[in-house]
Amino acid sequence: MRECKNCRVEILDDTSVCPLCKSVLEMNGQHPKSTGYPDVKAVSRKLNFIVRLYSFLAIVIESILIFFNYLYFHGVWWSAISGICILYFYMTLKYSLQKSGGYKTVIVAQVVGAVLLVIAADNIVGYRGWSVNYVLPSAILLLEATIVILMVLNASNWQSYILMQILTVVVSLICVILWKVRVITSPVLSMVSLAVSLCMLLGTLIFGERKAKAELKRRFHV
């Protein structure tokens, strides 16, 4: 087993340098202990195996669903909806389980993926517009509520959520544009989401003062 003399920890994986201080490791000739540094590569291999297993099962199951949908076709390609759902859960595994991005990125990706899933389902079963009229603005309001909860739980670093608030304002404005071009036909929820997003961002900028301004400078270099 390798050991870092500087940090006084034992390393279980096969790296040659300490992941904490980057010092060269030495062999101590002992068997691995559970109190040593965790084998990160082993955990990563398990997660990769889970993703690959899911991918294999997903392809097999979706192929069977497409076959039965074709065999008993009644005017609706419902197998496309199942395929989108399977793809959505695959992205969930990639972003959430493997933690390839920060939790903020995961939250936004999950919300965006869910909205796209619903819009695709709306188009597949015969477009009625409920996905953009109600689901899209509701997702914005849900994201706003999530931001509020995160700001309360992480009160010492609340200003880091300004970028997410700006994102909700931008998407809300897009909803208004979609209403102007008549893609959205029932604008009530879109207007509510825009009002809430603007109030949240304005309140953060006014009450945040220096921290909010510093975060904007850090993000946009202004």
Side-chain angles (χ1 to χ4, degrees):
M1 177 189 293
R2 291 181 174 83
E3 178 182 9
C4 178
K5 299 295 184 180
N6 185 36
C7 299
R8 296 182 180 179
V9 295
E10 295 174 343
I11 313 299
L12 299 183
D13 58 23
D14 56 357
T15 183
S16 59
V17 296
C18 177
L20 302 176
C21 66
K22 306 302 179 184
S23 299
V24 177
L25 301 177
E26 298 180 12
M27 297 295 296
N28 60 10
Q30 297 180 2
H31 294 289
K33 298 179 181 179
S34 59
T35 56
Y37 190 82
D39 189 352
V40 179
K41 291 185 178 180
V43 176
S44 178
R45 285 193 294 269
K46 289 180 181 179
L47 294 179
N48 288 332
F49 173 75
I50 292 174
V51 173
R52 288 195 295 269
L53 177 62
Y54 176 85
S55 301
F56 170 74
L57 293 176
I59 293 173
V60 173
I61 293 173
E62 179 60 17
S63 299
I64 295 173
L65 292 175
I66 292 174
F67 173 75
F68 278 103
N69 192 180
Y70 175 77
L71 197 62
Y72 302 102
F73 182 72
H74 296 292
V76 177
W77 285 103
W78 50 264
S79 59
I81 298 178
S82 63
I84 296 172
C85 292
I86 289 173
L87 179 61
Y88 174 74
F89 285 113
Y90 172 78
M91 296 304 297
T92 299
L93 285 175
K94 290 292 289 184
Y95 280 96
S96 300
L97 186 60
Q98 291 189 319
K99 298 180 181 180
S100 56
Y103 70 93
K104 298 174 189 176
T105 303
V106 171
I107 292 173
V108 174
Q110 292 290 96
V111 173
V112 171
V115 171
L116 293 177
L117 170 62
V118 173
I119 293 176
D122 189 9
N123 281 273
I124 291 170
V125 299
Y127 183 75
R128 299 293 181 87
W130 52 268
S131 57
V132 292
N133 283 327
Y134 307 109
V135 176
L136 178 56
S138 296
I140 298 173
L141 293 172
L142 177 62
L143 187 57
E144 281 288 349
T146 304
I147 293 171
V148 172
I149 295 172
L150 291 174
M151 291 177 72
V152 172
L153 295 177
N154 191 18
S156 61
N157 195 31
W158 59 264
Q159 71 278 3
S160 63
Y161 301 99
I162 291 180
L163 191 61
M164 294 180 69
Q165 291 182 326
I166 294 175
L167 176 63
T168 59
V169 171
V170 172
V171 178
S172 297
L173 289 172
I174 292 175
C175 288
V176 175
I177 294 174
L178 292 177
W179 170 53
K180 290 294 184 181
V181 298
R182 299 182 180 180
V183 174
I184 291 179
T185 56
S186 181
V188 177
L189 269 179
S190 297
M191 293 301 180
V192 171
S193 65
L194 177 60
V196 172
S197 300
L198 288 173
C199 287
M200 281 286 299
L201 180 59
L202 184 62
T204 300
L205 294 176
I206 292 176
F207 293 103
E209 295 181 347
R210 294 181 179 178
K211 282 190 174 182
K213 292 178 181 178
E215 181 67 15
L216 289 176
K217 289 181 179 179
R218 187 177 74 85
R219 292 287 184 178
F220 301 104
H221 306 287
V222 293

